[in-house]
Structure formats: structure tokens, C-alpha cells
Amino acid sequence: MREATTMTRRTFAKAAGLAGLAAAGAGASSGLFGEAPKAFADEEASDEQIVYTHCHVNCGGACVLQCHVKDGELAYVESDTAGSSEFGGVQARACLRGRSIRRWLGSDERLNYPMKRVEGTKRGDGKYEQISWDEALDTIASEMKRIRETYGSESIFIQECSGVEQNIMMNNPFFRLSNLLGGEVTRYGSYSSASISFGAYPYVYGGSWGNRSFKTLQDGELVVMFGFSPNDMRMAGDGPGYDLAVAMEQKGVRVINIDPRRTETCTNLGAEWIPIVPGTDAALVAALAHELIANNLIDTEFVNKYVVGFNEDTMPEDAKGQHLSYYDYVKGTGYDMVEKTPEWASAITRIPAERISQLAQEIGTAKPCFICQGLGMQRHANGDNASRSVMALALMVGQVGKPGTTSGGTIGNGGIGLSSLPTGDNPVTVQFPQYLWPEAIRDGEKLTATHDGIKGADKLNVGIKMLINYGNNMMANQNGDINTTTDILRDESKCEFILQYDVAWTDSCNWADIVLPDLTPQETYSLSAAGECNDIAGIRFGQPLYEPKFERREIYEVCAELAERLGVGDEFTDGGLTREDWCRRQYDELVETVGDTYDMPTYDEGVAMGAFSYDIAPSMDNDPFIDDPEANPLTTVTGKAQIYSPEIAEMAKTWTLDESEKNAITAIPTYVPGPDSADDVTDEFPFQFVDFHHKCTTHSTYAHNPVVQEMAPFQAWINPIDAERMGISDLDTVRLTSAQGSMITQAKVTNRIMPGVIMHAQGSWHSAPAEGDRTDTGRCTNTLTSRQRNPISKGTGQHSLICAIEKVEE
Amino acid sequence: MTQYGFYFDATRCTGCKTCEAACRDYHNLDLGTTFRHVYELEGGGWNQAEDGTWTTDSFTYYTSFACQHCDDPACMHVCPTGAMHKDENGIVSVDTGRCIGCGYCHMACPYDAPFVDRAKGHSVKCDGCKDRIAEGKQPMCVEACSMRALQFAPVDQLPEGERAAVAPLPDPELTKPNLYIKNCAAAHAVGDTSCRVANEAEVK
């Protein structure tokens, strides 16, 4: 239990008569609220105040920032000191990124004033002039009106946001405003997880199903992770990387990590690393299935009861007798008629055949066995199939839906579902896949349902004419193939108006017509829920650390002013509510909903405490589908878990793919080497290239914080064997080149990467001229990546890539 | 005299550097300077079989350390003014009034702990966050570690660990550092030259 011992004057006024508290350990607390306030007496005497806020930037964590503020400036940051500091206890301790936020808030790269592109210059020229907020908002409002009237509501798109995701506002004020005016075209899927969410889960389980967190791990059990690095990028003190480490130490859990790179789970923590050629996981799974079959390690009883499509017996009636099962694929009696022996897979994955056989033995005999995947694998070509294949592996050994397991998909999470600002109803139902937003600008009405995955209509009726970017760096950083993307943006006849509204001047600003300066979540009222990637029920309360500086303004107030200009001001603010009012309202509604389940503080008590967390005890129950599949069917068309998907079989008949995509829609998760796979390396581009999430950033958030860059630089990881061959030494300046573009960066020569592969932390800020050879000196990996998309989900397959590397003489 | 020291559970460390980040923030250190270092060490190699498959016996491990507040501090021995001293808790710190900024301490310390802040005109180093210790709190690095891999306490109250005898650290006999380590499986002994520092630029 924690007591708020220091408070700001502002919070004191609100919290008068109330008490602070926190709880850790579900059910361990009751009656903790309502005590008299303590320790406010020193406040006038002290020039230092503690103001609570949080770091929640889409890594999955929601970490407490206990900020020491002196003379209106942030002096230093502590994190979560409530709860238990013992190993295994719950504290949302911020990682190096959150702990370094003081330098970030004061960065020279912050946006301070509204800016507009200088007349007569083109997008990408980078020439901007300061304007007043009135001029900026007048322009945006009139463009909203003009474009809606000219092209219809379907021509307006509000981009995915990442840097402010999951807090009380997100980019919802723009949706709320737009919906009051007629709505907008929307996207489905996210950049991060489109292939697993829209190309795998729906067809295997009918949707996300069966995911459990590492807290479910049992004594001595085996964890097998495909392309997952929770200790690299989800570093919160209550996050999944921590949970896994606790289970390894306290429960003797053994971990095998299959990845082209030695992740942090395989450094000091001591997990076993099996290096694999990027993009070949589905081939490995096929050979594992071969060995499971050969050694009678398939859980036949489970498969017969719960699974469709493993073998002939479990095929749907209309697909029987055609050798379409996964068994036929593996045994070489169907599909390509090639037996998927360990030797077959070893030539593809470069994993020794005997290790594959041994791994099958380990997976087939471990009960329970926790088989999971990260999100990297599904961002490769045919990542839909790769993702489904790992789910199929878990199904074949019956390790889903029970304690100690997950779904073969991602790990699970749970928490308190805090609702963000209500957006109202959007009358426009047409949606496109998130990854294809540049194509939705360029090709517009040419995008169809059966070629491009348009939902809610047979095709788009109009291209995107107005692009609203808030809290993202999508245009010239976080989207595949920056050069192609910005070529599309440069053409003002396509997208006629672009807004960029962010906290810092990223290269994406250089492609906007108007740029607005935002407050960070630490500079305004904020409210966030924990539990995005872990099993933690908790809320984080955020108060502004200081008064707004320069002319920075937060999104809700700005959208309210736009609403006023467009005649919907009162509806937008619901009669004049402020951002802080909404925080209070949404929280109060939450207490009404779940206050019986969790002992929750009042809003004012929460503000004084900054945060509360309850550890969620793992369920020891089977999923209802496992207990009684007849009574509790899944929502797939067959009601069972599907290794063979009738939905995808139908899709394969009706959808069209570009020949050049080298993709395939297959009803079972076959291995399909897509374009730019290991098979495709050439003398010109002799390496596979993959970018990865590193401790230096979350996506591109914080990427230009110099203190973090010193500790965790953006580098191209290359194996010593390759480096020697290429004449490259550690820390050399190198040029990476793909068919899409070229970038300058620094080499890290390390055994942590398998030969033939170069990997580079993603998220660094693009810095390149808009014309000429467009070499990027900002170490932004999307200079290299492609517009490759996956066949089922239309999610990104951009991580399948081949490249060249050469030393650059400085 | 009480002797405080650090304990580092290497089996929990993931090399995230949050310890270093928290220290830099709290002590408001300039860019390019740090009191705490996180070394990434690696060794071993790769072997390709005739069938083209790869195996590796490589390893990587991290060691996080700051000033060791040694029993026999090299920095103190070479200090010409007596500015470098041990206090009643065994914490080695700088009397800034006496320090002339000569830099001998920086050159003598085998752990790269003290360095001269030219703007301030004197040496600076980890002081065990002694102001926080006096308030009953933990040093920033300890409190920050999400993996609970660090502890700081009187050495007789620390968990059992080996006295800082892991590569790339120097032989603990040199200065008798008050750093006790629970080694991870990948650790190699002091003096092992089969491994190399893999993050040289980050620990300069």
C-alpha cells in the first residue's frame, strides 16, 4: 500500500478530504480508500513537487512516471515505487525510454508553433513558415468542408496513431469531429499485427482466442517462441519480459527462442536460441509436424475432437478425398507432393535436421507446452500463413485452451477496459486494410474487395483526398518504402490536403500542408489503462507537469475549436466539457462498470496516487470450448479450430493476386517463399534484411532522444563471417541498399545475428533530400523496405527484403 | 565503519540500461558522460555444416556496474589533494572543495568510475546516491531496474555473490571492489580473452 506523500497544489485542492492508496495483489485490498489525507503540510515549505504522469507509447506497457518538478520544470523522474519491489512483485517500472523523458520533453526538435508550407513550394521541399492558430484552424476547417462537399466523406482519412495510443484521447477527437460532419473512410487492421489479426486468428479460431500471459506458466514447463522478443521491446517492470524472467527463475521454466537474432531472452536469462533464416517459420513447422507424425506425438484425441483439417478424417465433408489436409501436405501426398522431412526444412531454415527432430520430440512430450509467436514473423511475405502455421503446431500437440498454454498466437493480456473519448457513429462503412493507405491515395477506386481486401463495399468509391495525421510518423518513417510513399504524397492532385499534428518535427512534417504543435501526454491531462500486453488491471492518472510552453496545444481543445468553426461545437464538447472533464467522466463510468470487481479509488484519489495496479491471477480453467466444444463452438464456419480453413479455400477461388507478388492463398498454412526471400538473394543484393524493435525506441517515438541513442544506438547488425567477407569492421559507417532505396548507418559486427542476414533497429527518423538519390542519413529502415503485402490480410510483408551492404569511407 | 556495496544478479539482467538512464537523469549528467556502465560481452563463433546449416557456440552477456566503492580504491591512492575519500559508509566520493581536477583518479580507476567534469572543474562519480540512502531510499539505479537485478546495502547484508570476478572486469584483487555478482551461465572469468566487448561505443 502506498500513500501519496507529496502533492501538487492543484491535486491537493482536488484531493482534500480524500486519501491516496495503491494496491498490488488482486483481492488483497479492501477498504483502502477513504482515509484522511496525510503529509500535505510540507508542501508550502518545499520547492519540489511530485506530479504523476505516465509513459504509454504503444510498446504495450503503461509505466508510472513519478515526476519531481522544481520551479515549474521537470527535475528528474522516479517510477513506480508502490507495490512490491521484490522480484515477482508488481511495479510498473519505466524502462530507459521513459526514464529519459526529461530530455525528450525539452528537446530542440519539439514543435512550438503552427506552421504552413510556404506557398509555391512542393511537399517534401521542407520550407515552412509560422502562422497563427486562427489561420491554421480556419484553413483546416475550410479544407474539411471543401473536400467533404467535393468528394464525399469517404475521401477523408484519419491515420492510425501510435505515439499517443491507448490513452484517454488517442486520435479520437478527430473521429468525433468528423463523425459529427458525416464520417470518414476507415482502416482495418493495424500496421503492427494485421497478418495475425486478419490473416490468421479469424481463420483458425474465428478471432483472437485462447491467449494467456506468461503468468499461466507451470513449474518446469517448456516455452517455444517464434520471432518474439519480449525482453527487448516490452521492458516494463510489470511487463511480459519480466513475467517470463520471473517464471524462468521461480518456476524453472525452459525457453527456446526461434529467431534470426539472439534476443535478450537468450543473453543473460539463458534461453536457448535456435537461429532461423527469416521468413521460413512455416517450413520449420511443417517439418516439426512430420516428426510429430513419425513419432506418434500428435495428440490424436485432441485433433479429432477440436480440429478441422489436420488429416483426411478431420477435413470438412466437401473437401474430403482430395488430399487437401495438412497431413497430406506434410507427407508429400498433396499440394507440392514433397515430403516435409527435417532435411527438406533444414535446407530452407538452415537449422540442422537433427535439431528439428529433437525440437519436435521436446514439443511433443512437454505437457503443458507454451507455444507462441511475436509480431515480427507475420510481417514477412506470406506472413498470414507463417502465423497460422505456429497456431497449427500448438493444435497438433493439443496445447491450446488450457492452463500453461496459449493459442500458438501471441501471448494474452488482461486489464481494466478504459474507454477513450467517444467517437460517435460513422455512417461510412467502407474500410481498407491499414497497410494500403498510400495505395488508397494513389489508386483510389481501383482498390477492390477481392484484390485489395476492401471491406463494406466492392471497391473504394474515391481515393483519400484529405489525410489527417495525429500522433504518428507514418508518412516518411513508419510505412514501407518511404520513397514510393512520398512520391504519392508529393502529387497534390491526389491527396489535396495533409495535416501533421505531433510533438516534434519528424520528416513526416515535411510532407504536410499544415503542421500543428502538440503537448505530450505528460504536458496535459491523461488517463491510461494498463494491461495492453500483460495481465495487469490498473489505471494511470496523468496531470500536466507544467503550464503549456510556446504555442503548443492539445488535440481535444483544438478539435473543439474546429468543431466550433464547423457549427458542431456544442455537440462536440457535449455542452462544454474539457479534456480534464472527460478524464473524470470516463473514469467515473469505469468505476460504475467494474468498481465491484476492483477496489478503485475515486478520480481525485487516483490523481493523488498517480496509479494503481492489481496483479491478475492466471485462470486455472480450461476454455469453455475445450470443456464442451459442442455447447461452446468457436466462431469459425466449422465451429472448430481450423488448420484447414474453408473460408480461405473459398477466398482462393474468388480472390485475385498479382503474379509478381509471389504470394499464395492456401487453405492450410503451407510454406510459400514470397518475394525477396532467402531464395531470392542475388549478387547485387546478397543479404536478407529485417528490421526489429529495439530498446532504443517504441516505433519512432523517442527516436531522437540523444541520451537514449547514446545508450542504444541504431545499428546494422552483421555476422563476423559476413563482415570479414565484406571488409567491414565493428562501428564502421556502412551503406545499405535495396531495390527501394539506400541509407547510411553504422555496423555492429556481432555473433548475435546469423550469417546471411542483416538486422537493424527500426524507428530512427528519416533524413533525406526529396529529390536526387534520396540517400537517407537518418538510419530509417523504411528507406529500404517495400510495399509487399500479404495475400489474405493485405497486411505488410515488408520484412521480406534483400539488400546490399558496403563500407563507406568517411 | 560500515561498508556499502552493490549486488548484481547477472542472471536477471537484459542489458536494457534503465539503471544507466535513471542515473543519468537523476544526476543530470551531460551527454557523453555516465556513472554507470553496461558492458555487452560476446564470444564463440559459427559453424556451417556441409549441408549448409548453421550452428553456433556464441554467447552474449551483460555486466552492469558503477563505482565499486572499493576497499582499496585506486582513485584515492593517487589523489594528490585528498579530495577523493571514503566516508563512514565506505562510499568513495569527491570533496569538491579540495579537488583540483587533475584527472589522476580517472586514469587510475580500473572501472572507469570517476571522471573530471571540466565545466565544474572537479571530478564527479557515483556517490551511491548517498542523499537518498540517508532518507532511507535506494540508489536510483537500484530502484529503476525492472528486473530487480541490482541491490545496494552494507555488504554483510547483501545476498551471496562472487566478488566481481567476471570478464571484462579487472582482477578484484587489484582494488577489492564492493560489487558482488551472481553470475549468469554465459559468464566468463576475469582475464578471459576469448570474448570481446561488443558495445564499445556505448561504454566509452
Side-chain angles (χ1 to χ4, degrees):
Chain A
M1 172 174 165
R2 165 174 84 200
E3 290 176 343
T5 53
T6 313
M7 307 180 76
T8 65
R9 193 169 293 112
R10 181 188 288 120
T11 56
F12 171 59
K14 288 181 193 154
L18 304 167
L21 112 129
S29 63
S30 63
L32 294 174
F33 306 99
E35 296 169 17
K38 295 176 184 173
F40 303 150
D42 292 341
E43 195 205 326
E44 293 302 326
S46 170
D47 63 349
E48 182 176 303
Q49 301 173 326
I50 289 178
V51 182
Y52 282 99
T53 180
H54 41 268
C55 176
H56 196 170
V57 292
N58 203 12
C59 71
C63 296
V64 175
L65 300 180
Q66 188 184 152
C67 294
H68 293 250
V69 177
K70 281 183 193 166
D71 304 324
E73 292 292 339
L74 175 55
Y76 65 94
V77 175
E78 283 190 277
S79 186
D80 190 354
T81 49
S84 167
S85 61
E86 297 296 312
F87 191 57
V90 174
Q91 287 185 331
R93 295 187 178 193
C95 73
L96 75 162
R97 302 184 289 235
R99 298 295 298 228
S100 301
I101 202 158
R102 178 170 58 90
R103 280 188 183 274
W104 176 239
L105 297 178
S107 165
D108 292 343
E109 309 202 41
R110 289 289 304 275
L111 286 163
N112 298 329
Y113 304 99
M115 308 285 277
K116 78 167 180 186
R117 182 159 55 87
V118 172
E119 274 183 40
T121 66
K122 293 199 291 187
R123 291 185 191 142
D125 291 350
K127 293 192 168 49
Y128 287 81
E129 61 188 351
Q130 186 181 331
I131 55 172
S132 69
W133 270 100
D134 272 341
E135 182 183 347
L137 296 180
D138 286 345
T139 305
I140 296 164
S142 74
E143 285 295 280
M144 278 182 169
K145 194 161 182 288
R146 179 187 69 82
I147 290 172
R148 192 180 298 276
E149 285 171 0
T150 310
Y151 300 104
S153 293
E154 275 186 49
S155 68
I156 295 171
F157 179 57
I158 301 163
Q159 183 63 274
E160 181 175 19
C161 65
S162 176
V164 292
E165 190 176 79
Q166 303 283 331
N167 74 22
I168 189 71
M169 284 296 158
M170 304 177 57
N171 53 3
N172 283 14
F174 277 111
F175 284 105
R176 184 177 175 85
L177 170 64
S178 184
N179 288 343
L180 286 169
L181 301 167
E184 65 290 321
V185 68
T186 52
R187 47 100 179 181
Y188 68 89
S190 74
Y191 206 94
S192 297
S193 60
S195 288
I196 187 170
S197 300
F198 286 84
Y201 275 129
Y203 305 106
V204 178
Y205 296 118
S208 184
W209 177 86
N211 304 320
R212 298 184 192 226
S213 77
F214 287 132
K215 285 177 182 164
T216 190
L217 295 174
Q218 312 286 303
D219 283 342
E221 82 163 287
L222 176 66
V223 174
V224 181
M225 310 200 294
F226 289 77
F228 190 30
S229 52
N231 296 99
D232 295 54
M233 42 58 148
R234 288 177 171 171
M235 300 178 288
D238 62 354
Y242 173 71
D243 290 343
L244 183 61
V246 169
M248 291 172 82
E249 179 174 317
Q250 297 184 347
K251 295 180 181 171
V253 163
R254 189 178 153 228
V255 180
I256 295 173
N257 197 359
I258 300 161
D259 201 293
R261 185 179 63 94
R262 182 189 290 279
T263 71
E264 303 301 3
T265 314
C266 303
T267 55
N268 294 41
L269 294 181
E272 183 187 352
W273 175 35
I274 299 181
I276 186 171
V277 168
T280 65
D281 305 81
L284 172 61
V285 170
L288 291 172
H290 185 275
E291 294 304 279
L292 291 169
I293 293 166
N295 294 290
N296 292 318
L297 293 171
I298 298 289
D299 188 338
T300 308
E301 194 182 331
F302 182 91
V303 167
N304 287 339
K305 191 170 179 185
Y306 301 103
V307 178
V308 163
F310 169 68
N311 53 17
E312 192 61 28
D313 293 345
T314 57
M315 286 297 280
E317 283 305 320
D318 64 353
K320 281 190 170 168
Q322 301 163 60
H323 302 286
L324 294 176
S325 73
Y326 193 69
Y327 184 95
D328 280 310
Y329 169 68
V330 169
K331 295 296 280 184
T333 50
Y335 295 88
D336 56 1
M337 308 300 282
V338 174
E339 190 175 356
K340 306 303 178 303
T341 61
E343 289 73 22
W344 169 83
S346 71
I348 296 167
T349 62
R350 304 289 180 187
I351 301 170
E354 57 269 27
R355 185 68 192 92
I356 296 174
S357 298
Q358 187 195 347
L359 181 60
Q361 193 73 29
E362 290 168 314
I363 291 171
T365 54
K367 309 286 180 207
C369 184
F370 190 98
I371 299 168
C372 66
Q373 60 181 289
L375 299 180
M377 187 181 76
Q378 48 103 50
R379 288 193 288 258
H380 286 267
N382 292 295
D384 309 315
N385 274 17
S387 180
R388 275 197 296 148
S389 76
V390 178
M391 295 177 192
L393 175 63
L395 289 169
M396 285 184 276
V397 291
Q399 294 302 301
V400 302
K402 308 166 184 174
T405 73
T406 189
S407 57
T410 58
I411 62 167
N413 61 301
I416 301 176
L418 174 71
S419 299
S420 297
L421 177 77
T423 57
D425 295 327
N426 179 10
V428 178
T429 54
V430 62
Q431 294 190 304
F432 61 82
Q434 164 65 22
Y435 190 57
L436 300 189
W437 68 266
E439 286 77 6
I441 294 173
R442 185 187 63 196
D443 303 329
E445 58 275 18
K446 292 179 194 155
L447 301 191
T448 69
T450 54
H451 188 268
D452 309 289
I454 301 302
K455 289 182 193 276
D458 292 338
K459 65 177 195 63
L460 286 188
N461 293 309
V462 62
I464 296 169
K465 295 293 181 187
M466 179 169 201
L467 178 60
I468 296 172
N469 296 291
Y470 173 74
N472 75 57
N473 190 4
M474 290 295 275
M475 289 196 290
N477 225 86
Q478 295 306 97
N479 191 53
D481 192 351
I482 290 171
N483 290 339
T484 296
T485 303
T486 52
D487 279 346
I488 294 168
L489 296 171
R490 201 165 170 85
D491 181 351
E492 289 170 44
S493 73
K494 292 291 185 182
C495 187
E496 296 186 4
F497 185 81
I498 298 177
L499 171 66
Q500 179 76 13
Y501 185 1
D502 203 350
V503 296
W505 193 281
T506 64
D507 192 38
S508 291
C509 294
N510 290 321
W511 300 88
D513 302 313
I514 297 247
V515 179
L516 298 179
D518 195 11
L519 297 174
T520 76
Q522 295 78 28
E523 294 169 334
T524 182
Y525 298 93
S526 183
L527 197 61
S528 283
E532 195 184 325
C533 70
N534 50 1
D535 263 333
I536 292 289
I539 296 293
R540 315 289 181 239
F541 301 82
Q543 299 287 293
L545 297 179
Y546 40 71
E547 294 298 313
K549 296 182 180 180
F550 302 97
E551 292 186 16
R552 301 166 186 159
R553 297 174 75 183
E554 61 84 25
I555 180 176
Y556 175 79
E557 178 188 302
V558 165
C559 284
E561 287 207 10
L562 287 171
E564 194 65 39
R565 281 167 166 76
L566 292 161
V568 291
D570 205 46
E571 296 96 316
F572 180 88
T573 61
D574 204 7
L577 296 182
T578 65
R579 179 174 175 126
E580 189 186 13
D581 294 335
W582 279 107
C583 289
R584 187 178 294 271
R585 177 192 272 198
Q586 298 303 100
Y587 183 76
D588 288 347
E589 283 181 8
L590 182 68
V591 173
E592 277 177 31
T593 315
V594 297
D596 291 342
T597 309
Y598 297 102
D599 196 6
M600 293 168 71
T602 64
Y603 181 79
D604 291 310
E605 288 168 334
V607 165
M609 293 155 43
F612 69 87
S613 294
Y614 288 94
D615 200 359
I616 297 176
S619 166
M620 290 307 291
D621 296 333
N622 289 337
D623 187 273
F625 169 67
I626 300 297
D627 281 338
D628 188 344
E630 305 292 329
N632 309 297
L634 297 178
T635 56
T636 56
V637 290
T638 63
K640 291 189 175 184
Q642 300 178 161
I643 294 177
Y644 175 95
S645 163
E647 302 95 320
I648 296 177
E650 180 63 23
M651 197 182 281
K653 292 178 197 156
T654 52
W655 284 34
T656 56
L657 297 174
D658 292 336
E659 191 79 12
S660 63
E661 289 180 359
K662 284 180 76 176
N663 283 329
I665 295 177
T666 60
I668 57 165
T670 57
Y671 169 62
V672 184
D676 288 356
S677 72
D679 298 342
D680 299 310
V681 294
T682 61
D683 289 344
E684 185 185 7
F685 299 124
F687 292 97
Q688 282 187 280
F689 178 89
V690 187
D691 66 23
F692 66 98
H693 288 52
H694 190 231
K695 54 197 165 197
C696 50
T697 61
T698 298
H699 307 118
S700 78
T701 302
Y702 305 146
H704 268 210
N705 189 343
V707 70
V708 180
Q709 284 193 341
E710 280 186 1
M711 293 184 283
F714 293 91
Q715 293 167 321
W717 295 24
I718 181 170
N719 186 280
I721 294 169
D722 294 327
E724 188 178 2
R725 189 158 53 88
M726 303 304 294
I728 291 167
S729 302
D730 194 37
L731 305 179
D732 273 354
T733 301
V734 292
R735 176 185 287 271
L736 298 175
T737 305
S738 75
Q740 285 70 238
S742 189
M743 64 186 271
I744 304 293
T745 186
Q746 184 181 56
K748 178 184 173 82
V749 178
T750 174
N751 279 306
R752 296 181 62 172
I753 191 86
M754 80 180 296
V757 183
I758 293 167
M759 290 184 74
H760 195 291
Q762 66 114 343
S764 189
W765 291 0
H766 185 251
S767 177
E771 291 178 292
D773 79 347
R774 299 196 278 188
T775 293
D776 165 47
T777 54
R779 305 190 186 187
C780 179
T781 53
N782 281 320
T783 309
L784 305 180
T785 57
S786 72
R787 298 296 307 147
Q788 169 65 220
R789 64 204 200 169
N790 284 334
I792 299 168
S793 60
K794 307 304 174 190
T796 179
Q798 70 186 70
H799 286 189
S800 287
L801 189 70
I802 52 175
C803 81
I805 185 169
E806 61 179 327
K807 181 176 175 174
V808 176
E809 298 300 338
E810 288 176 277
Chain B
M1 185 188 82
T2 307
Q3 176 63 58
Y4 270 74
F6 283 105
Y7 172 77
F8 172 57
D9 186 340
T11 69
R12 294 176 183 169
C13 179
T14 59
C16 74
K17 301 196 174 187
T18 302
C19 50
E20 183 181 332
C23 173
R24 284 175 170 223
D25 179 58
Y26 179 62
H27 294 288
N28 195 21
L29 299 185
D30 291 337
L31 286 176
T33 64
T34 181
F35 291 164
R36 182 162 278 278
H37 301 283
V38 180
Y39 273 74
E40 179 185 2
L41 228 72
E42 73 167 51
W46 287 76
N47 183 56
Q48 189 166 32
E50 280 182 17
D51 65 0
T53 59
W54 287 103
T55 50
T56 179
D57 62 357
S58 64
F59 59 88
T60 299
Y61 68 93
Y62 296 96
T63 305
S64 172
F65 62 91
C67 173
Q68 325 290 21
H69 305 289
C70 304
D71 286 351
D72 197 7
C75 58
M76 230 170 88
H77 291 312
V78 299
C79 179
T81 67
M84 196 65 84
H85 66 285
K86 269 174 102 72
D87 70 11
E88 68 281 6
N89 286 321
I91 292 173
V92 177
S93 51
V94 183
D95 180 341
T96 56
R98 299 175 74 116
C99 179
I100 56 171
C102 68
Y104 285 3
C105 56
H106 172 66
M107 288 185 275
C109 175
Y111 298 97
D112 204 18
F115 59 90
V116 179
D117 183 325
R118 292 291 167 202
K120 290 182 177 142
H122 60 75
S123 283
V124 291
K125 64 182 290 299
C126 162
D127 67 353
C129 288
K130 58 185 174 186
D131 294 346
R132 290 173 57 83
I133 298 296
E135 292 173 15
K137 296 176 180 172
Q138 291 290 306
M140 266 304 181
C141 54
V142 172
E143 193 182 272
C145 177
S146 66
M147 306 304 281
R148 283 74 157 170
L150 289 170
Q151 294 186 39
F152 188 70
V155 290
D156 55 3
Q157 294 171 28
L158 290 173
E160 205 171 311
E162 196 181 4
R163 191 167 203 171
V166 61
L169 299 181
D171 188 334
E173 288 307 307
L174 285 173
T175 62
K176 300 195 169 48
N178 286 298
L179 169 65
Y180 293 86
I181 300 179
K182 181 181 177 185
N183 285 322
C184 63
H188 280 54
V190 159
D192 190 307
T193 53
S194 71
C195 36
R196 57 175 276 272
V197 174
N199 65 339
E200 188 185 323
E202 298 160 41
V203 290
K204 268 180 184 167

